[in-house]
């Protein structure tokens, strides 16, 4: 029964991903969910950070996928040009990496290096 459910969910996810202009796949659930971004959109994100001279944040704590961003770190809105499926997230630029953050939990869901 679980295999059937997983197969059905995988089919729904892949169908939904193909209908979007930015292909984003979410894996896992809850706080452990990770966002997978296609390579061409990773390039767009890195280019945006470079062209707009985004300054990296300073934090005593290391910011890593799966962990919450410290409360004193300001989360930035994701620009529309990164794709409509990413605008629900926020980001921080830390250590030459863009970290996508779930704003409701402040948890890092993906690193774009």
């Amino acid at each position: 029964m679980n295999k059937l459910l997983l197969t059905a969910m995988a089919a729904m996810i892949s169908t939904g991903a193909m209908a979007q202009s930015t292909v984003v796949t979410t894996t896992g659930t809850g706080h452990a969910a990770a966002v997978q971004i296609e390579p061409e959109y990773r390039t767009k994100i890195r280019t945006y950070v470079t062209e707009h001279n985004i300054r990296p944040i300073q934090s005593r704590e290391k910011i890593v996928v799966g962990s919450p961003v410290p409360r004193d770190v300001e989360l930035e809105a994701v620009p529309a040009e990164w794709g409509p499926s990413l605008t629900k997230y926020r980001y921080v630029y830390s250590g030459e990496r863009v970290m996508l953050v779930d704003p409701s939990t402040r948890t890092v869901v993906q690193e774009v290096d």
Side-chain angles (χ1 to χ4, degrees), residues 10 12 31 39 44 59 62 85 93 105:
M12 287 175 26
H31 299 303
K44 279 187 175 187
S59 176
K62 187 172 181 175
S85 58
Y93 182 54
T105 63

Side-chain angles (χ1 to χ4, degrees), residues 3 7 20 23 27-28 50 61 87 94 97 105:
K3 276 188 168 180
T7 302
Q20 299 173 3
V23 180
T27 58
T50 302
E61 298 176 40
T87 57
S94 172
R97 300 166 302 159
T105 63

